[in-house]
Amino acid sequence: FFFQPHAGIRDPLWSRGLGDVYKRQQYMSDKNRIIIFDTTMRDGEQSPGASMSLEEKLQISRVFDELGVDIIEAGFPIASPGDFEAVTEISKTLKNSIPAGLARATKKDIDACHESLKHAKNFRIHTFISTSPLHMKHKLNKSPEEVLGAIKESVSYARKFTDDVEWSCEDGTRTDMDYMCKTVELAIKSGAKTINIPDTVGYTVPSEFKKIIETLINKVPNIDKAILSTHCHNDLGLAVANSLAGVMAGARQIECTINGIGERAGNAALEEVVMAMRTRHDLMPYTTNINTKLLSKASKVVSNATGFPVQFNKAVVGKNAFAHESGIHQDGMLKNRNTYEIMTPESVGVHKTSLVMGKHSGRHAFKDKLNDLGYVGVTDDVIQIAFGKFKVLADKKKHIYDEDIAAIVDDSLVTEDNVIKLKSLKVFAGTGEPQKAEMTLEVFGEVKKASETGDGPVDAIFKCIKKLYPHDVKLLLYNVHAVTEGTDAQATVSVRIEEKGKTTVGQAADTDTLVASANAYLSALNKLIIKRKKTAPDPSLSAQI
């Protein structure tokens, strides 16, 4: 089971540089090739508080392009001017991955997708409509016949703009099976080349999802003209298992996100489905185009952009994924790593902590270290900024760990011009006296000073910022974690703020937690100032497929 393109119809995945006829035939004959469709910047961004700036999305898209993601769903263009702009700019910059945009079953949505994606040589329009009895009655207020009409009209209309049209049946796993077969057959007949079956509310289990895919393959007469896809949510913690069950039944595309972020409990985690297939190749003999050595880097970039820290025990990319504390485990590892590790840290881009970098290290050695850590293609400007911060840190810390360097680079990758900058900070804290902060900021080029007391030093710092630049926001998140061990460890602080529906995340690292706190808040505030110029997305356009 695999899509065999009709004569004259281009397969967008051929644009990945497969080249001559021989390579095309080789690709078509590989029935175990799994297409990775990443929706981190669309479904992932719908996680409450996970809004990303344009620069962050561009940074993520560059990493995903390098990672080997086949299809990047860059956003939902009709949702807001910001989403439209992000999809437009991403479609201009991708070199290998195919950009995609999401659209409801309406011409205005599809037009917005086309307008934002038209700059790319190849692109995908992904359109959807609900098909479950519950959604058709209570969400759409449409009859099954009306939904069939909408499918035919929307897919046919999208097909006018591109050969690469994907159709999804929202709430597919709660859809009547006979009706689903009708909708899928119609969508393919109307021009869809990919059929996605979403477990929109994370309701199904592997055996049931496998049966759904098998039924479609057996009962839909034109199913051989399309690729079947999975899109599983993690409400019951089964998103990865359901996705793999779908693949084993015949699906050849997995829709997923880095770190598993997404609506509610999230989506199938890209890093988990890819490494599961690679590690258990004996049971799942499938291949992907993913360079697994960049998984750790992709995880960090997404975590920094969203402000969502990766849980320590997260599979594949968590800090403890390759840590062994039990004496029995340590003994086994010393004798043979295979006793307690089913994959190597290096296979996902995790390197052993190194202590060789110090204050006497030069710029060339620093650049080589960045390459070792997976920061390939970082601009000279970012390297220069990061190297300066590295030298300052080296004067403060005896040992510089790889994680310290990664934190410095991540902190330097934001290239937006800040209109509010921290010039100096003094904090007075302790018992018996009110905590006090004295701060100097540069606000739109003007240097201002303030002194405030608060319920703790961080509260005093944030009050100073509000006094020097009056604003009214809600603090949604303040998170601190140490990058490495020891009392001289760098602290990475994440701050998420919200103003009238607009949410931004700021992050900063420093050996002084309070300085990092101030810079993280200012980072979020600077992003908010930029975001104020754009219209907030309409909450009703949050697409849950």
Side-chain angles (χ1 to χ4, degrees):
F1 167 75
F2 200 72
F3 167 47
Q4 302 283 339
H6 299 297
I9 301 295
R10 75 175 185 271
D11 179 350
L13 291 175
W14 289 347
S15 67
R16 297 193 62 86
L18 292 176
D20 56 33
V21 174
Y22 170 74
K23 289 185 177 180
R24 292 185 182 185
Q25 290 174 342
Q26 187 180 46
Y27 174 80
M28 289 167 60
S29 68
D30 186 2
K31 296 182 179 181
N32 287 334
R33 165 79 154 82
I34 305 301
I35 298 163
I36 297 299
F37 178 112
D38 182 273
T39 183
T40 299
M41 289 181 285
R42 200 279 299 169
D43 201 326
E45 196 189 26
Q46 290 177 200
S47 301
S51 180
M52 308 170 205
S53 69
L54 174 60
E55 182 57 38
E56 287 165 339
K57 286 187 176 183
L58 287 171
Q59 180 191 347
I60 290 172
S61 68
R62 288 190 288 266
V63 171
F64 286 1
D65 201 26
E66 182 186 9
L67 179 64
V69 172
D70 296 294
I71 312 291
I72 296 177
E73 191 166 51
F76 190 16
I78 197 70
S80 72
D83 245 32
F84 185 92
E85 182 186 13
V87 177
T88 301
E89 294 305 315
I90 289 170
S91 70
K92 293 177 181 178
T93 59
L94 293 180
K95 296 178 180 178
N96 300 305
S97 303
I98 303 297
L102 186 69
R104 295 167 299 179
T106 65
K107 288 186 176 181
K108 66 176 184 178
D109 279 38
I110 295 168
D111 285 337
C113 266
H114 173 242
E115 283 299 313
S116 61
L117 291 165
K118 65 183 182 181
H119 308 281
K121 182 179 179 181
N122 298 285
F123 61 86
R124 174 176 293 187
I125 293 178
H126 179 193
T127 183
F128 72 97
I129 193 170
S130 296
T131 56
S132 70
L134 185 67
H135 277 219
M136 287 190 292
K137 179 180 179 181
H138 297 287
K139 178 183 176 181
L140 299 179
N141 194 27
K142 290 181 182 291
S143 68
E145 291 73 25
E146 288 174 314
V147 169
L148 287 171
I151 293 169
K152 181 179 180 180
E153 183 180 7
S154 59
V155 174
S156 299
Y157 187 68
R159 184 65 174 73
K160 294 179 180 180
F161 300 113
T162 176
D163 300 328
D164 190 4
V165 176
E166 175 174 336
W167 178 76
S168 290
C169 46
E170 183 178 2
D171 204 22
T173 54
R174 294 193 293 178
T175 296
D176 174 76
M177 203 63 233
D178 289 337
Y179 183 68
M180 184 191 288
C181 289
K182 289 182 182 179
T183 62
V184 169
E185 181 181 358
L186 177 60
I188 296 172
K189 186 177 180 181
S190 301
K193 294 296 182 285
T194 301
I195 299 295
N196 181 45
I197 309 301
D199 183 25
T200 303
V201 291
Y203 179 70
T204 196
V205 297
S207 58
E208 181 182 57
F209 195 64
K210 183 172 182 285
K211 186 176 180 180
I212 290 172
I213 301 297
E214 289 173 340
T215 301
L216 290 172
I217 292 173
N218 292 327
K219 289 191 174 183
V220 176
N222 56 356
I223 197 68
D224 62 315
K225 294 179 173 62
I227 292 173
L228 274 174
S229 172
T230 71
H231 180 112
C232 298
H233 280 262
N234 206 39
D235 297 70
L236 295 176
L238 296 171
V240 169
N242 288 333
S243 299
L244 295 174
V247 166
M248 295 176 78
R252 288 297 177 264
Q253 175 176 288
I254 296 177
E255 302 197 359
C256 45
T257 62
I258 286 289
N259 297 335
I261 66 171
E263 289 275 5
R264 303 179 312 279
N267 292 57
L270 184 154
E271 64 276 5
E272 293 179 25
V273 294
V274 168
M275 291 308 295
M277 290 186 288
R278 173 173 167 161
T279 304
R280 293 310 311 270
H281 199 68
D282 55 329
L283 297 178
M284 296 178 286
Y286 312 115
T287 60
T288 72
N289 195 55
I290 298 298
N291 179 357
T292 63
K293 292 182 179 180
L294 296 178
L295 287 173
S296 180
K297 174 184 176 180
S299 171
K300 290 175 183 176
V301 170
V302 170
S303 176
N304 288 342
T306 59
F308 288 0
V310 179
Q311 65 193 65
F312 281 15
N313 64 331
K314 168 76 174 64
V316 182
V317 293
K319 184 177 180 179
N320 290 348
F322 298 98
H324 305 272
E325 186 169 335
S326 163
I328 295 174
H329 285 212
Q330 289 176 344
D331 180 65
M333 287 290 295
L334 290 171
K335 293 174 179 175
N336 188 319
R337 297 191 68 88
N338 291 330
T339 53
Y340 289 103
E341 279 189 356
I342 59 173
M343 50 190 165
T344 65
E346 292 80 9
S347 68
V348 297
V350 175
H351 297 263
K352 293 181 179 179
T353 299
S354 172
L355 303 179
V356 298
M357 297 297 290
K359 63 181 180 180
H360 298 297
S361 299
R363 190 176 185 276
H364 182 74
F366 182 76
K367 189 173 182 178
D368 283 345
K369 172 59 72 174
L370 297 190
N371 288 331
D372 291 341
L373 294 175
Y375 290 96
V376 181
V378 178
T379 66
D380 288 339
D381 288 344
V382 172
I383 292 175
Q384 188 61 38
I385 295 169
F387 183 65
K389 293 180 179 179
F390 162 73
K391 283 293 190 179
V392 172
L393 181 64
D395 284 332
K396 297 179 182 178
K397 290 190 67 175
K398 182 178 180 181
H399 299 305
I400 306 295
Y401 295 83
D402 287 354
E403 291 89 345
D404 288 315
I405 296 173
I408 289 171
V409 178
D410 292 337
D411 197 38
S412 304
L413 279 170
V414 178
T415 59
E416 294 165 335
D417 293 328
N418 291 336
V419 293
I420 306 177
K421 301 174 184 178
L422 179 66
K423 306 300 289 183
S424 69
L425 174 66
K426 290 183 179 179
V427 179
F428 304 90
T431 60
E433 297 291 337
Q435 284 73 48
K436 180 181 177 183
E438 294 180 357
M439 178 180 289
T440 303
L441 294 181
E442 181 182 316
V443 183
F444 291 92
E446 181 183 354
V447 176
K448 297 182 176 182
K449 297 182 180 181
S451 176
E452 288 287 325
T453 59
D455 185 14
V458 174
D459 184 49
I461 290 170
F462 290 178
K463 282 183 176 179
C464 279
I465 295 173
K466 287 188 176 184
K467 184 175 182 180
L468 295 172
Y469 178 75
H471 60 282
D472 184 19
V473 300
K474 183 178 181 181
L475 181 63
L476 301 178
L477 171 75
Y478 172 74
N479 179 273
V480 182
H481 74 272
V483 175
T484 56
E485 297 79 13
T487 56
D488 62 351
Q490 279 193 103
T492 293
V493 178
S494 298
V495 168
R496 187 183 303 122
I497 58 177
E498 186 266 336
E499 178 189 69
K500 298 178 181 179
K502 300 180 181 70
T503 304
T504 57
V505 176
Q507 201 165 48
D510 200 280
T511 51
D512 189 323
T513 305
L514 298 178
V515 172
S517 299
N519 280 324
Y521 190 98
L522 289 173
S523 174
L525 189 57
N526 277 299
K527 292 177 184 178
L528 182 63
I529 292 170
I530 294 171
K531 206 167 189 178
R532 282 172 178 167
K533 302 174 184 178
K534 302 174 183 178
T535 304
D538 183 345
S540 66
L541 295 181
S542 177
Q544 300 188 26
I545 65 167

